[in-house]
Structure formats: structure tokens, C-alpha cells
């Protein structure tokens, strides 16, 4: 007689998990050949893979817990598709499609020094609350993050959905990110322009006259 079939894999502590999904443009079309980085919430485990011809990506045998997925870091894709957080359960496959929004606000952020000149920096928007003095690990672990287009003198973030965001400045040569104390509320498609003066405690930002 044939051997009995093995019992199905049951979820439980210690069993490997997986992350899979499709990288999609804001239009919904699959995007092939995009590097996807998976970073654990503690920042101590990082994995990379590349989407196939159908935009599909897969991270097999990852540990259960909180992860953040970053599509296309260092390429134009990062400004189109935000980083996505997810919770991975033991023995399960977490399916997450990575896709940017087709509509939303444009946010322009300019950082200047005490002399009023532009400072070499990058501004990112993080959905929800961020610690007063974030580290790179705590910033990147477990949050939805919107990256800007790379423009000289300003950070331009497009198609930002409605919500409340922490504005975090990544200043060139600085080890730690710097968080703007006042959160940014985005509602509707109207363009927002912020000028942030550095250095200081980033207590405020102003719409330019």
C-alpha cells in the first residue's frame, strides 16, 4: 500500500516563514528586475532579492517577526513605491504587493543652514509617530516610509496619501536621523512646501513666503 501522506505543516514557534509578493508601478503594472531589501525590525537581519519578469519576489526561510520591505533603494523606483512594514507569522507566507499610489499630495522639503544656504540632506516621510532621537535601525524597522526624488537643493515626494507623517532629515555626514518635532498632516492633493532650518532641534518648519 502507498505510504501515508505527511501531515500538513502547522504554524508554530521556530518554524521558518516566507515573504512573497509582486512589485507594481503606481499604474498596477508589474515591475521586473527591481531589488527588494527586507530588513528586520531590530536591524540585525537583512535580505535581498530581485523581482522576476512578472514582478514577483520571494524571501524564503525568514524568521517570524516584524520586517520592512524596501523596493529599489538608490534607484528612481524608491521614490515611486514606499517602504512597507509587515508582520510575519511562524510557518506562514506573508504576501505583500509593493505598489505606489496613483494620487496624492506633492511635498517639497528644503533644508537650509543658519546662513540660509541649502544643506545637503534628504527628507523622508514616515507614517505615524517616530522617537524624538531615532536611530537608523528604529527608523527603518516596521514603518511605512516615503522616499523623495533626488533633486538638488530639495526633496520632492509625490503621490503622498492622506495621513499624518513624521518628517525625518537624513543629513549628509550625520550618523543619526533627525526628526522634525511637529508632524506633517497631508490631506488632499494640494502641494505642500516646507523649509527647515538646520542645525537646531528641528522644532519647526515653515511654508516659504
Amino acid at each position: 500500500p502507498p505510504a501515508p501522506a505527511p501531515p500538513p505543516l502547522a504554524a508554530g514557534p521556530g518554524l521558518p516563514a516566507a515573504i512573497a509578493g509582486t512589485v507594481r508601478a503606481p499604474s498596477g503594472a508589474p515591475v521586473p528586475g527591481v531589488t527588494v531589501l527586507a530588513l528586520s525590525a531590530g536591524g540585525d537581519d537583512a535580505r535581498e532579492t530581485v523581482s522576476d519578469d512578472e514582478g514577483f519576489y520571494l524571501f524564503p526561510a525568514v524568521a517570524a517577526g516584524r520586517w520592512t520591505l524596501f523596493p529599489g533603494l538608490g534607484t528612481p523606483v524608491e521614490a515611486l513605491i514606499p517602504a512597507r512594514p509587515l508582520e510575519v507569522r511562524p510557518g506562514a507566507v506573508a504576501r505583500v504587493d509593493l505598489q505606489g499610489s496613483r494620487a496624492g499630495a506633492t511635498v517639497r522639503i528644503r533644508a537650509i543652514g543658519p546662513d540660509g544656504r541649502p544643506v545637503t540632506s534628504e527628507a523622508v516621510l514616515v507614517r505615524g509617530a517616530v522617537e524624538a532621537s531615532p536611530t537608523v535601525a528604529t527608523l527603518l524597522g516596521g514603518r511605512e516610509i516615503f522616499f523623495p526624488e533626488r533633486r538638488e537643493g530639495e526633496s520632492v515626494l509625490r503621490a503622498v496619501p492622506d495621513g499624518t507623517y513624521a518628517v525625518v532629515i537624513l543629513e549628509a555626514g550625520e550618523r543619526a536621523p533627525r526628526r522634525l518635532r511637529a508632524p506633517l498632516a497631508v490631506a488632499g492633493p494640494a502641494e505642500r512646501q516646507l523649509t527647515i532650518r538646520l542645525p537646531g532641534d528641528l522644532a519647526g518648519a515653515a511654508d516659504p513666503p
Side-chain angles (χ1 to χ4, degrees):
L9 180 65
L15 292 177
I19 304 170
T22 302
V23 181
R24 298 186 182 277
S27 65
V31 183
V34 172
T35 297
V36 180
L37 170 69
L39 183 67
S40 64
D44 55 351
D45 192 0
R47 312 286 181 88
E48 276 192 1
T49 190
V50 178
S51 61
D52 66 14
D53 291 343
E54 303 298 324
F56 179 77
Y57 73 91
L58 172 66
F59 292 100
V62 301
R66 191 77 168 169
W67 292 77
T68 304
L69 302 177
F70 298 86
L73 279 180
T75 74
V77 172
E78 73 174 359
L80 299 175
I81 305 175
R84 285 282 306 278
L86 73 156
E87 189 74 32
V88 180
R89 296 180 298 171
V93 178
R95 297 194 63 89
V96 180
D97 282 356
L98 301 172
Q99 181 175 350
S101 174
R102 299 186 67 173
T106 295
V107 179
R108 299 178 181 273
I109 301 175
R110 188 168 64 104
I112 60 175
D115 57 2
R117 295 182 179 180
V119 174
T120 302
S121 64
E122 183 178 31
V124 300
L125 298 182
V126 182
R127 190 185 289 274
V130 171
E131 302 90 309
S133 300
T135 65
V136 172
T138 59
L139 173 66
L140 299 184
R143 293 178 174 85
E144 188 175 19
I145 304 173
F146 292 77
F147 290 88
E149 294 177 3
R150 298 173 183 271
R151 296 286 186 90
E152 185 176 356
E154 67 175 355
S155 297
V156 181
L157 302 104
R158 303 189 187 278
V160 178
D162 290 359
T164 301
Y165 300 87
V167 179
V168 178
I169 303 298
L170 306 176
E171 195 173 349
E174 294 288 333
R175 293 184 178 181
R178 306 175 69 185
R179 186 207 66 176
L180 184 68
R181 183 177 299 171
L184 173 67
V186 175
E191 181 171 302
R192 297 293 306 276
Q193 296 185 359
L194 303 178
T195 298
I196 299 172
R197 187 175 294 275
L198 303 174
D201 61 359
L202 298 187
D207 295 333

PDB file of all heavy atoms in Angstrom, residues 141-178:
ATOM      1  N   GLY A 141      12.809  50.102  10.981  1.00  0.00           N
ATOM      2  CA  GLY A 141      12.159  48.873  11.386  1.00  0.00           C
ATOM      3  C   GLY A 141      10.670  49.050  11.620  1.00  0.00           C
ATOM      4  O   GLY A 141      10.260  49.667  12.604  1.00  0.00           O
ATOM      5  N   GLY A 142       9.847  48.511  10.731  1.00  0.00           N
ATOM      6  CA  GLY A 142       8.435  48.418  10.993  1.00  0.00           C
ATOM      7  C   GLY A 142       7.596  49.643  10.741  1.00  0.00           C
ATOM      8  O   GLY A 142       6.627  49.888  11.441  1.00  0.00           O
ATOM      9  N   ARG A 143       7.939  50.447   9.735  1.00  0.00           N
ATOM     10  CA  ARG A 143       7.122  51.620   9.417  1.00  0.00           C
ATOM     11  C   ARG A 143       7.017  51.786   7.903  1.00  0.00           C
ATOM     12  O   ARG A 143       7.887  51.337   7.159  1.00  0.00           O
ATOM     13  CB  ARG A 143       7.736  52.887  10.025  1.00  0.00           C
ATOM     14  CG  ARG A 143       7.711  52.918  11.547  1.00  0.00           C
ATOM     15  CD  ARG A 143       8.376  54.189  12.053  1.00  0.00           C
ATOM     16  NE  ARG A 143       8.258  54.315  13.481  1.00  0.00           N
ATOM     17  CZ  ARG A 143       9.094  53.762  14.350  1.00  0.00           C
ATOM     18  NH1 ARG A 143      10.096  53.025  13.906  1.00  0.00           N
ATOM     19  NH2 ARG A 143       8.930  53.927  15.651  1.00  0.00           N
ATOM     20  N   GLU A 144       5.950  52.474   7.475  1.00  0.00           N
ATOM     21  CA  GLU A 144       5.824  52.820   6.061  1.00  0.00           C
ATOM     22  C   GLU A 144       6.595  54.109   5.834  1.00  0.00           C
ATOM     23  O   GLU A 144       6.365  55.109   6.522  1.00  0.00           O
ATOM     24  CB  GLU A 144       4.355  53.003   5.685  1.00  0.00           C
ATOM     25  CG  GLU A 144       4.149  53.170   4.196  1.00  0.00           C
ATOM     26  CD  GLU A 144       2.685  53.229   3.814  1.00  0.00           C
ATOM     27  OE1 GLU A 144       1.843  53.507   4.701  1.00  0.00           O
ATOM     28  OE2 GLU A 144       2.383  53.003   2.630  1.00  0.00           O
ATOM     29  N   ILE A 145       7.518  54.078   4.875  1.00  0.00           N
ATOM     30  CA  ILE A 145       8.432  55.197   4.659  1.00  0.00           C
ATOM     31  C   ILE A 145       8.354  55.627   3.201  1.00  0.00           C
ATOM     32  O   ILE A 145       8.435  54.801   2.292  1.00  0.00           O
ATOM     33  CB  ILE A 145       9.876  54.810   5.019  1.00  0.00           C
ATOM     34  CG1 ILE A 145       9.957  54.311   6.464  1.00  0.00           C
ATOM     35  CG2 ILE A 145      10.822  55.988   4.812  1.00  0.00           C
ATOM     36  CD1 ILE A 145      11.308  53.747   6.831  1.00  0.00           C
ATOM     37  N   PHE A 146       8.227  56.944   3.001  1.00  0.00           N
ATOM     38  CA  PHE A 146       8.166  57.506   1.654  1.00  0.00           C
ATOM     39  C   PHE A 146       9.489  58.226   1.375  1.00  0.00           C
ATOM     40  O   PHE A 146       9.888  59.117   2.133  1.00  0.00           O
ATOM     41  CB  PHE A 146       6.990  58.475   1.536  1.00  0.00           C
ATOM     42  CG  PHE A 146       5.652  57.805   1.610  1.00  0.00           C
ATOM     43  CD1 PHE A 146       5.137  57.391   2.832  1.00  0.00           C
ATOM     44  CD2 PHE A 146       4.907  57.570   0.465  1.00  0.00           C
ATOM     45  CE1 PHE A 146       3.905  56.756   2.904  1.00  0.00           C
ATOM     46  CE2 PHE A 146       3.677  56.943   0.531  1.00  0.00           C
ATOM     47  CZ  PHE A 146       3.174  56.527   1.748  1.00  0.00           C
ATOM     48  N   PHE A 147      10.138  57.851   0.287  1.00  0.00           N
ATOM     49  CA  PHE A 147      11.420  58.428  -0.089  1.00  0.00           C
ATOM     50  C   PHE A 147      11.225  59.470  -1.191  1.00  0.00           C
ATOM     51  O   PHE A 147      10.319  59.355  -2.018  1.00  0.00           O
ATOM     52  CB  PHE A 147      12.380  57.344  -0.577  1.00  0.00           C
ATOM     53  CG  PHE A 147      12.863  56.431   0.517  1.00  0.00           C
ATOM     54  CD1 PHE A 147      12.153  55.292   0.854  1.00  0.00           C
ATOM     55  CD2 PHE A 147      14.019  56.723   1.216  1.00  0.00           C
ATOM     56  CE1 PHE A 147      12.587  54.447   1.866  1.00  0.00           C
ATOM     57  CE2 PHE A 147      14.466  55.895   2.224  1.00  0.00           C
ATOM     58  CZ  PHE A 147      13.744  54.756   2.559  1.00  0.00           C
ATOM     59  N   PRO A 148      12.098  60.479  -1.230  1.00  0.00           N
ATOM     60  CA  PRO A 148      11.928  61.557  -2.207  1.00  0.00           C
ATOM     61  C   PRO A 148      12.643  61.284  -3.523  1.00  0.00           C
ATOM     62  O   PRO A 148      13.514  60.417  -3.618  1.00  0.00           O
ATOM     63  CB  PRO A 148      12.581  62.749  -1.491  1.00  0.00           C
ATOM     64  CG  PRO A 148      13.720  62.111  -0.745  1.00  0.00           C
ATOM     65  CD  PRO A 148      13.203  60.765  -0.291  1.00  0.00           C
ATOM     66  N   GLU A 149      12.258  62.057  -4.523  1.00  0.00           N
ATOM     67  CA  GLU A 149      13.069  62.147  -5.724  1.00  0.00           C
ATOM     68  C   GLU A 149      14.358  62.871  -5.366  1.00  0.00           C
ATOM     69  O   GLU A 149      14.378  63.742  -4.495  1.00  0.00           O
ATOM     70  CB  GLU A 149      12.334  62.936  -6.813  1.00  0.00           C
ATOM     71  CG  GLU A 149      11.089  62.280  -7.330  1.00  0.00           C
ATOM     72  CD  GLU A 149      10.380  63.145  -8.353  1.00  0.00           C
ATOM     73  OE1 GLU A 149      10.903  64.237  -8.687  1.00  0.00           O
ATOM     74  OE2 GLU A 149       9.295  62.744  -8.802  1.00  0.00           O
ATOM     75  N   ARG A 150      15.424  62.525  -6.040  1.00  0.00           N
ATOM     76  CA  ARG A 150      16.714  63.158  -5.773  1.00  0.00           C
ATOM     77  C   ARG A 150      16.826  64.439  -6.602  1.00  0.00           C
ATOM     78  O   ARG A 150      17.037  64.400  -7.807  1.00  0.00           O
ATOM     79  CB  ARG A 150      17.852  62.193  -6.088  1.00  0.00           C
ATOM     80  CG  ARG A 150      17.795  60.935  -5.215  1.00  0.00           C
ATOM     81  CD  ARG A 150      18.827  59.905  -5.639  1.00  0.00           C
ATOM     82  NE  ARG A 150      18.706  58.700  -4.839  1.00  0.00           N
ATOM     83  CZ  ARG A 150      19.337  58.489  -3.688  1.00  0.00           C
ATOM     84  NH1 ARG A 150      20.141  59.420  -3.224  1.00  0.00           N
ATOM     85  NH2 ARG A 150      19.165  57.367  -3.017  1.00  0.00           N
ATOM     86  N   ARG A 151      16.636  65.580  -5.929  1.00  0.00           N
ATOM     87  CA  ARG A 151      16.733  66.889  -6.579  1.00  0.00           C
ATOM     88  C   ARG A 151      17.741  67.748  -5.834  1.00  0.00           C
ATOM     89  O   ARG A 151      17.808  67.697  -4.605  1.00  0.00           O
ATOM     90  CB  ARG A 151      15.378  67.585  -6.567  1.00  0.00           C
ATOM     91  CG  ARG A 151      14.289  66.871  -7.362  1.00  0.00           C
ATOM     92  CD  ARG A 151      14.503  67.037  -8.842  1.00  0.00           C
ATOM     93  NE  ARG A 151      13.404  66.475  -9.606  1.00  0.00           N
ATOM     94  CZ  ARG A 151      12.332  67.161  -9.959  1.00  0.00           C
ATOM     95  NH1 ARG A 151      12.218  68.437  -9.601  1.00  0.00           N
ATOM     96  NH2 ARG A 151      11.373  66.604 -10.674  1.00  0.00           N
ATOM     97  N   GLU A 152      18.507  68.545  -6.557  1.00  0.00           N
ATOM     98  CA  GLU A 152      19.480  69.423  -5.915  1.00  0.00           C
ATOM     99  C   GLU A 152      18.750  70.517  -5.134  1.00  0.00           C
ATOM    100  O   GLU A 152      17.916  71.233  -5.671  1.00  0.00           O
ATOM    101  CB  GLU A 152      20.397  70.044  -6.964  1.00  0.00           C
ATOM    102  CG  GLU A 152      21.517  70.884  -6.372  1.00  0.00           C
ATOM    103  CD  GLU A 152      22.475  71.408  -7.427  1.00  0.00           C
ATOM    104  OE1 GLU A 152      22.301  71.056  -8.608  1.00  0.00           O
ATOM    105  OE2 GLU A 152      23.382  72.173  -7.050  1.00  0.00           O
ATOM    106  N   GLY A 153      19.069  70.607  -3.844  1.00  0.00           N
ATOM    107  CA  GLY A 153      18.519  71.678  -3.030  1.00  0.00           C
ATOM    108  C   GLY A 153      17.201  71.378  -2.361  1.00  0.00           C
ATOM    109  O   GLY A 153      16.773  72.129  -1.481  1.00  0.00           O
ATOM    110  N   GLU A 154      16.499  70.291  -2.736  1.00  0.00           N
ATOM    111  CA  GLU A 154      15.238  69.979  -2.095  1.00  0.00           C
ATOM    112  C   GLU A 154      14.899  68.500  -2.272  1.00  0.00           C
ATOM    113  O   GLU A 154      15.428  67.818  -3.156  1.00  0.00           O
ATOM    114  CB  GLU A 154      14.092  70.832  -2.643  1.00  0.00           C
ATOM    115  CG  GLU A 154      13.743  70.546  -4.080  1.00  0.00           C
ATOM    116  CD  GLU A 154      12.525  71.330  -4.549  1.00  0.00           C
ATOM    117  OE1 GLU A 154      11.901  72.024  -3.735  1.00  0.00           O
ATOM    118  OE2 GLU A 154      12.199  71.239  -5.752  1.00  0.00           O
ATOM    119  N   SER A 155      14.030  68.017  -1.393  1.00  0.00           N
ATOM    120  CA  SER A 155      13.486  66.673  -1.508  1.00  0.00           C
ATOM    121  C   SER A 155      12.051  66.794  -1.991  1.00  0.00           C
ATOM    122  O   SER A 155      11.258  67.555  -1.422  1.00  0.00           O
ATOM    123  CB  SER A 155      13.512  65.961  -0.149  1.00  0.00           C
ATOM    124  OG  SER A 155      14.843  65.787   0.313  1.00  0.00           O
ATOM    125  N   VAL A 156      11.713  66.067  -3.046  1.00  0.00           N
ATOM    126  CA  VAL A 156      10.376  66.125  -3.630  1.00  0.00           C
ATOM    127  C   VAL A 156       9.724  64.755  -3.483  1.00  0.00           C
ATOM    128  O   VAL A 156      10.216  63.762  -4.011  1.00  0.00           O
ATOM    129  CB  VAL A 156      10.419  66.531  -5.113  1.00  0.00           C
ATOM    130  CG1 VAL A 156       9.008  66.613  -5.683  1.00  0.00           C
ATOM    131  CG2 VAL A 156      11.144  67.857  -5.286  1.00  0.00           C
ATOM    132  N   LEU A 157       8.620  64.721  -2.742  1.00  0.00           N
ATOM    133  CA  LEU A 157       7.872  63.488  -2.543  1.00  0.00           C
ATOM    134  C   LEU A 157       6.527  63.628  -3.234  1.00  0.00           C
ATOM    135  O   LEU A 157       5.789  64.575  -2.982  1.00  0.00           O
ATOM    136  CB  LEU A 157       7.683  63.197  -1.050  1.00  0.00           C
ATOM    137  CG  LEU A 157       8.990  63.071  -0.257  1.00  0.00           C
ATOM    138  CD1 LEU A 157       9.242  64.326   0.563  1.00  0.00           C
ATOM    139  CD2 LEU A 157       8.975  61.841   0.619  1.00  0.00           C
ATOM    140  N   ARG A 158       6.212  62.689  -4.106  1.00  0.00           N
ATOM    141  CA  ARG A 158       4.993  62.780  -4.897  1.00  0.00           C
ATOM    142  C   ARG A 158       4.005  61.677  -4.513  1.00  0.00           C
ATOM    143  O   ARG A 158       4.377  60.638  -3.997  1.00  0.00           O
ATOM    144  CB  ARG A 158       5.321  62.684  -6.389  1.00  0.00           C
ATOM    145  CG  ARG A 158       6.312  63.764  -6.855  1.00  0.00           C
ATOM    146  CD  ARG A 158       6.447  63.779  -8.355  1.00  0.00           C
ATOM    147  NE  ARG A 158       7.509  64.693  -8.797  1.00  0.00           N
ATOM    148  CZ  ARG A 158       7.343  65.999  -8.934  1.00  0.00           C
ATOM    149  NH1 ARG A 158       6.178  66.548  -8.676  1.00  0.00           N
ATOM    150  NH2 ARG A 158       8.355  66.764  -9.343  1.00  0.00           N
ATOM    151  N   ALA A 159       2.736  61.943  -4.801  1.00  0.00           N
ATOM    152  CA  ALA A 159       1.655  60.982  -4.568  1.00  0.00           C
ATOM    153  C   ALA A 159       1.650  60.491  -3.126  1.00  0.00           C
ATOM    154  O   ALA A 159       1.539  59.297  -2.863  1.00  0.00           O
ATOM    155  CB  ALA A 159       1.756  59.817  -5.541  1.00  0.00           C
ATOM    156  N   VAL A 160       1.780  61.426  -2.193  1.00  0.00           N
ATOM    157  CA  VAL A 160       1.758  61.081  -0.767  1.00  0.00           C
ATOM    158  C   VAL A 160       0.294  60.963  -0.332  1.00  0.00           C
ATOM    159  O   VAL A 160      -0.468  61.930  -0.423  1.00  0.00           O
ATOM    160  CB  VAL A 160       2.476  62.155   0.078  1.00  0.00           C
ATOM    161  CG1 VAL A 160       2.400  61.803   1.560  1.00  0.00           C
ATOM    162  CG2 VAL A 160       3.920  62.293  -0.375  1.00  0.00           C
ATOM    163  N   PRO A 161      -0.144  59.799   0.158  1.00  0.00           N
ATOM    164  CA  PRO A 161      -1.550  59.642   0.559  1.00  0.00           C
ATOM    165  C   PRO A 161      -1.881  60.478   1.792  1.00  0.00           C
ATOM    166  O   PRO A 161      -1.002  60.900   2.545  1.00  0.00           O
ATOM    167  CB  PRO A 161      -1.647  58.137   0.872  1.00  0.00           C
ATOM    168  CG  PRO A 161      -0.457  57.512   0.239  1.00  0.00           C
ATOM    169  CD  PRO A 161       0.617  58.556   0.259  1.00  0.00           C
ATOM    170  N   ASP A 162      -3.162  60.704   2.004  1.00  0.00           N
ATOM    171  CA  ASP A 162      -3.610  61.407   3.207  1.00  0.00           C
ATOM    172  C   ASP A 162      -3.126  60.684   4.455  1.00  0.00           C
ATOM    173  O   ASP A 162      -3.109  59.451   4.515  1.00  0.00           O
ATOM    174  CB  ASP A 162      -5.138  61.484   3.246  1.00  0.00           C
ATOM    175  CG  ASP A 162      -5.705  62.422   2.186  1.00  0.00           C
ATOM    176  OD1 ASP A 162      -4.912  63.013   1.439  1.00  0.00           O
ATOM    177  OD2 ASP A 162      -6.938  62.539   2.112  1.00  0.00           O
ATOM    178  N   GLY A 163      -2.729  61.463   5.456  1.00  0.00           N
ATOM    179  CA  GLY A 163      -2.272  60.869   6.702  1.00  0.00           C
ATOM    180  C   GLY A 163      -1.403  61.829   7.476  1.00  0.00           C
ATOM    181  O   GLY A 163      -1.195  62.977   7.065  1.00  0.00           O
ATOM    182  N   THR A 164      -0.905  61.353   8.610  1.00  0.00           N
ATOM    183  CA  THR A 164      -0.008  62.137   9.457  1.00  0.00           C
ATOM    184  C   THR A 164       1.368  61.504   9.417  1.00  0.00           C
ATOM    185  O   THR A 164       1.506  60.296   9.638  1.00  0.00           O
ATOM    186  CB  THR A 164      -0.528  62.196  10.904  1.00  0.00           C
ATOM    187  OG1 THR A 164      -1.830  62.790  10.901  1.00  0.00           O
ATOM    188  CG2 THR A 164       0.394  63.025  11.776  1.00  0.00           C
ATOM    189  N   TYR A 165       2.388  62.317   9.153  1.00  0.00           N
ATOM    190  CA  TYR A 165       3.734  61.805   8.923  1.00  0.00           C
ATOM    191  C   TYR A 165       4.751  62.533   9.800  1.00  0.00           C
ATOM    192  O   TYR A 165       4.616  63.733  10.060  1.00  0.00           O
ATOM    193  CB  TYR A 165       4.144  61.996   7.454  1.00  0.00           C
ATOM    194  CG  TYR A 165       3.248  61.286   6.474  1.00  0.00           C
ATOM    195  CD1 TYR A 165       2.099  61.905   5.983  1.00  0.00           C
ATOM    196  CD2 TYR A 165       3.541  60.002   6.044  1.00  0.00           C
ATOM    197  CE1 TYR A 165       1.269  61.257   5.093  1.00  0.00           C
ATOM    198  CE2 TYR A 165       2.718  59.349   5.140  1.00  0.00           C
ATOM    199  CZ  TYR A 165       1.589  59.977   4.671  1.00  0.00           C
ATOM    200  OH  TYR A 165       0.766  59.320   3.794  1.00  0.00           O
ATOM    201  N   ALA A 166       5.768  61.784  10.211  1.00  0.00           N
ATOM    202  CA  ALA A 166       6.951  62.396  10.799  1.00  0.00           C
ATOM    203  C   ALA A 166       7.897  62.754   9.662  1.00  0.00           C
ATOM    204  O   ALA A 166       8.093  61.978   8.729  1.00  0.00           O
ATOM    205  CB  ALA A 166       7.630  61.432  11.764  1.00  0.00           C
ATOM    206  N   VAL A 167       8.451  63.965   9.733  1.00  0.00           N
ATOM    207  CA  VAL A 167       9.450  64.395   8.756  1.00  0.00           C
ATOM    208  C   VAL A 167      10.827  64.106   9.355  1.00  0.00           C
ATOM    209  O   VAL A 167      11.161  64.615  10.423  1.00  0.00           O
ATOM    210  CB  VAL A 167       9.316  65.898   8.441  1.00  0.00           C
ATOM    211  CG1 VAL A 167      10.379  66.327   7.438  1.00  0.00           C
ATOM    212  CG2 VAL A 167       7.924  66.205   7.915  1.00  0.00           C
ATOM    213  N   VAL A 168      11.612  63.288   8.677  1.00  0.00           N
ATOM    214  CA  VAL A 168      12.920  62.887   9.176  1.00  0.00           C
ATOM    215  C   VAL A 168      13.982  63.346   8.185  1.00  0.00           C
ATOM    216  O   VAL A 168      13.882  63.071   6.985  1.00  0.00           O
ATOM    217  CB  VAL A 168      13.006  61.361   9.389  1.00  0.00           C
ATOM    218  CG1 VAL A 168      14.399  60.961   9.855  1.00  0.00           C
ATOM    219  CG2 VAL A 168      11.955  60.911  10.414  1.00  0.00           C
ATOM    220  N   ILE A 169      14.970  64.066   8.690  1.00  0.00           N
ATOM    221  CA  ILE A 169      16.049  64.586   7.856  1.00  0.00           C
ATOM    222  C   ILE A 169      17.256  63.668   7.965  1.00  0.00           C
ATOM    223  O   ILE A 169      17.737  63.380   9.070  1.00  0.00           O
ATOM    224  CB  ILE A 169      16.444  66.016   8.292  1.00  0.00           C
ATOM    225  CG1 ILE A 169      15.230  66.956   8.232  1.00  0.00           C
ATOM    226  CG2 ILE A 169      17.574  66.547   7.404  1.00  0.00           C
ATOM    227  CD1 ILE A 169      14.643  67.115   6.857  1.00  0.00           C
ATOM    228  N   LEU A 170      17.733  63.211   6.830  1.00  0.00           N
ATOM    229  CA  LEU A 170      18.961  62.430   6.757  1.00  0.00           C
ATOM    230  C   LEU A 170      20.029  63.369   6.207  1.00  0.00           C
ATOM    231  O   LEU A 170      20.108  63.600   4.999  1.00  0.00           O
ATOM    232  CB  LEU A 170      18.773  61.207   5.859  1.00  0.00           C
ATOM    233  CG  LEU A 170      17.586  60.306   6.215  1.00  0.00           C
ATOM    234  CD1 LEU A 170      17.436  59.190   5.194  1.00  0.00           C
ATOM    235  CD2 LEU A 170      17.754  59.717   7.609  1.00  0.00           C
ATOM    236  N   GLU A 171      20.806  63.941   7.110  1.00  0.00           N
ATOM    237  CA  GLU A 171      21.778  64.964   6.724  1.00  0.00           C
ATOM    238  C   GLU A 171      23.082  64.311   6.309  1.00  0.00           C
ATOM    239  O   GLU A 171      23.554  63.366   6.958  1.00  0.00           O
ATOM    240  CB  GLU A 171      22.011  65.909   7.897  1.00  0.00           C
ATOM    241  CG  GLU A 171      22.702  67.207   7.526  1.00  0.00           C
ATOM    242  CD  GLU A 171      22.750  68.147   8.709  1.00  0.00           C
ATOM    243  OE1 GLU A 171      22.088  67.895   9.734  1.00  0.00           O
ATOM    244  OE2 GLU A 171      23.463  69.157   8.603  1.00  0.00           O
ATOM    245  N   ALA A 172      23.676  64.784   5.235  1.00  0.00           N
ATOM    246  CA  ALA A 172      24.929  64.217   4.738  1.00  0.00           C
ATOM    247  C   ALA A 172      26.004  64.297   5.813  1.00  0.00           C
ATOM    248  O   ALA A 172      26.209  65.349   6.418  1.00  0.00           O
ATOM    249  CB  ALA A 172      25.378  64.953   3.478  1.00  0.00           C
ATOM    250  N   GLY A 173      26.684  63.174   6.066  1.00  0.00           N
ATOM    251  CA  GLY A 173      27.758  63.147   7.051  1.00  0.00           C
ATOM    252  C   GLY A 173      27.300  62.913   8.468  1.00  0.00           C
ATOM    253  O   GLY A 173      28.124  62.737   9.365  1.00  0.00           O
ATOM    254  N   GLU A 174      25.981  62.915   8.716  1.00  0.00           N
ATOM    255  CA  GLU A 174      25.467  62.691  10.064  1.00  0.00           C
ATOM    256  C   GLU A 174      25.132  61.214  10.237  1.00  0.00           C
ATOM    257  O   GLU A 174      24.581  60.578   9.345  1.00  0.00           O
ATOM    258  CB  GLU A 174      24.203  63.534  10.304  1.00  0.00           C
ATOM    259  CG  GLU A 174      24.445  65.028  10.319  1.00  0.00           C
ATOM    260  CD  GLU A 174      25.187  65.469  11.565  1.00  0.00           C
ATOM    261  OE1 GLU A 174      25.074  64.789  12.590  1.00  0.00           O
ATOM    262  OE2 GLU A 174      25.881  66.502  11.489  1.00  0.00           O
ATOM    263  N   ARG A 175      25.426  60.675  11.403  1.00  0.00           N
ATOM    264  CA  ARG A 175      25.127  59.271  11.649  1.00  0.00           C
ATOM    265  C   ARG A 175      23.665  59.040  11.983  1.00  0.00           C
ATOM    266  O   ARG A 175      23.083  58.041  11.602  1.00  0.00           O
ATOM    267  CB  ARG A 175      26.009  58.742  12.794  1.00  0.00           C
ATOM    268  CG  ARG A 175      27.485  58.672  12.465  1.00  0.00           C
ATOM    269  CD  ARG A 175      28.251  58.048  13.602  1.00  0.00           C
ATOM    270  NE  ARG A 175      29.664  57.921  13.283  1.00  0.00           N
ATOM    271  CZ  ARG A 175      30.562  57.390  14.099  1.00  0.00           C
ATOM    272  NH1 ARG A 175      30.188  56.958  15.290  1.00  0.00           N
ATOM    273  NH2 ARG A 175      31.820  57.291  13.737  1.00  0.00           N
ATOM    274  N   ALA A 176      23.071  59.940  12.737  1.00  0.00           N
ATOM    275  CA  ALA A 176      21.707  59.730  13.222  1.00  0.00           C
ATOM    276  C   ALA A 176      20.712  60.575  12.438  1.00  0.00           C
ATOM    277  O   ALA A 176      20.984  61.736  12.125  1.00  0.00           O
ATOM    278  CB  ALA A 176      21.620  60.069  14.708  1.00  0.00           C
ATOM    279  N   PRO A 177      19.549  60.012  12.122  1.00  0.00           N
ATOM    280  CA  PRO A 177      18.492  60.825  11.511  1.00  0.00           C
ATOM    281  C   PRO A 177      18.007  61.878  12.493  1.00  0.00           C
ATOM    282  O   PRO A 177      18.184  61.762  13.695  1.00  0.00           O
ATOM    283  CB  PRO A 177      17.386  59.794  11.215  1.00  0.00           C
ATOM    284  CG  PRO A 177      18.021  58.462  11.376  1.00  0.00           C
ATOM    285  CD  PRO A 177      19.151  58.623  12.327  1.00  0.00           C
ATOM    286  N   ARG A 178      17.372  62.913  11.980  1.00  0.00           N
ATOM    287  CA  ARG A 178      16.855  63.984  12.831  1.00  0.00           C
ATOM    288  C   ARG A 178      15.388  64.180  12.506  1.00  0.00           C
ATOM    289  O   ARG A 178      15.012  64.374  11.351  1.00  0.00           O
ATOM    290  CB  ARG A 178      17.654  65.271  12.588  1.00  0.00           C
ATOM    291  CG  ARG A 178      19.160  65.066  12.772  1.00  0.00           C
ATOM    292  CD  ARG A 178      19.939  66.300  12.408  1.00  0.00           C
ATOM    293  NE  ARG A 178      19.705  67.360  13.374  1.00  0.00           N
ATOM    294  CZ  ARG A 178      20.197  68.597  13.229  1.00  0.00           C
ATOM    295  NH1 ARG A 178      20.874  68.909  12.144  1.00  0.00           N
ATOM    296  NH2 ARG A 178      19.980  69.502  14.144  1.00  0.00           N
TER     297      ARG A 178
END
